[in-house]
Amino acid sequence: MCVEKACREIAAAGYTIIEGLLDPTQATRLDKLTRRFMRAEARFVNTAKPGYLKLEGALNHLPELAILCAHPVVLQIAERLLGTPFYLPNNICTMWCQPQSAAGDAHADWPLQHVPEPYPPWPMLLQTMWMLSDFTSENGATRMVPGSHLSGKPAPPLDCIESEVAAVGTRGSILIWSGNTWHRNGPNTTTDQHRMGANVPYIPSYLYRPPEAWPLLRRDLYESFPPHLQQLLERSVAAS
């Protein structure tokens, strides 16, 4: 069963990849929708790093992405690792790595910046990256440092990291990792390939999203979702 295998791999290495969890045709459709919106509505896009574009609160603009939030396999893994109930602290962030864009710096994720060392070995945040395009070592696939989730420390400078692995997979696959695993976006060394990922995070019940940290979900959109998705998003929805 892929849930058992995934949980074992996350416990041992800090991350896992499940191939083909989303139909590739559906992944391609979401990739095209997302790129079209990010091109047309640049005011919503974070362009702090040239060629590496982020759309926070993507669900507000692209409700079609909601299918990524509550996949039963992912929810079973989250339940095993976070307990119940668990929540989404953000309503999806899409990350577009364009040709010739530079790599990022290695890091662990929120909320560890606010947690005393040593960090706990269990995940305080469970991260997922849906591969809406192929992720290759050449086009900017996320780089993971296996076993770093057990270090209890923040990521050191890149030249102090002995080894990292490109999390490669075909469109429709998913990368799932413990938020305390060191990782970064890889460089896109191609001239004609992009990679598009949709980041959907999950938090345990004892954590709350920091005020104004990320865009809140529109209330009208929230009310249009089925009850199980509303429960996941209830901590990141606007009051009105």
Side-chain angles (χ1 to χ4, degrees):
M1 181 179 182
C2 64
V3 171
E4 300 288 341
K5 181 174 182 288
C7 290
R8 287 196 303 269
E9 291 180 351
I10 293 170
Y15 72 98
T16 190
I17 298 170
I18 304 176
E19 286 277 353
L21 208 55
L22 182 69
D23 181 88
T25 303
Q26 204 165 31
T28 298
R29 182 178 68 87
L30 293 176
D31 171 33
K32 289 179 178 178
L33 282 173
T34 303
R35 281 187 288 140
R36 185 182 306 130
F37 179 85
M38 293 175 77
R39 284 194 191 101
E41 303 291 346
R43 67 186 186 277
F44 295 116
V45 178
N46 183 336
T47 56
K49 293 190 293 184
Y52 186 77
L53 311 182
K54 295 178 68 175
L55 174 62
E56 298 275 8
L59 202 53
N60 281 331
H61 311 291
L62 297 163
E64 296 89 350
L65 295 170
I67 62 169
L68 305 178
C69 295
H71 192 286
V73 170
V74 177
L75 298 188
Q76 287 179 63
I77 294 169
E79 182 176 348
R80 287 277 299 274
L81 298 179
L82 301 177
T84 53
F86 54 88
Y87 302 92
L88 274 75
N90 190 7
N91 58 53
I92 302 186
C93 174
T94 55
M95 301 177 179
W96 185 7
C97 192
Q98 297 178 330
Q100 299 296 293
S101 57
D105 295 322
H107 61 281
D109 290 322
W110 175 91
L112 294 177
Q113 297 85 349
H114 310 288
V115 175
E117 296 178 38
Y119 298 158
W122 61 85
M124 301 181 74
L125 176 74
L126 188 67
Q127 288 278 37
T128 73
M129 182 74 77
W130 286 94
M131 302 179 188
L132 302 185
S133 66
D134 292 342
F135 273 42
T136 71
S137 56
E138 295 78 27
N139 75 2
T142 309
R143 304 291 179 94
M144 310 298 299
V145 182
S148 57
H149 64 306
L150 302 176
S151 70
K153 300 176 181 179
L158 197 58
D159 59 5
C160 296
I161 294 176
E162 294 184 1
S163 63
E164 61 178 8
V165 176
V168 301
T170 56
R171 64 188 65 213
S173 301
I174 186 172
L175 166 66
I176 307 175
W177 73 97
S178 172
N180 44 10
T181 306
W182 305 342
H183 61 283
R184 66 188 181 112
N185 68 283
N188 188 328
T189 59
T190 74
T191 58
D192 59 353
Q193 299 173 33
H194 77 279
R195 71 93 164 153
M196 178 67 77
N199 174 219
V200 185
Y202 301 87
I203 56 172
S205 61
Y206 58 82
L207 283 184
Y208 283 83
R209 71 188 310 278
E212 308 305 321
W214 302 292
L216 291 167
L217 181 66
R218 294 188 346 244
R219 170 64 61 170
D220 64 308
L221 186 58
Y222 172 82
E223 292 176 349
S224 73
F225 288 149
H228 70 281
L229 186 50
Q230 289 183 353
Q231 181 273 315
L232 290 170
L233 289 161
E234 66 183 38
R235 290 190 179 178
S236 58
V237 60
S240 61

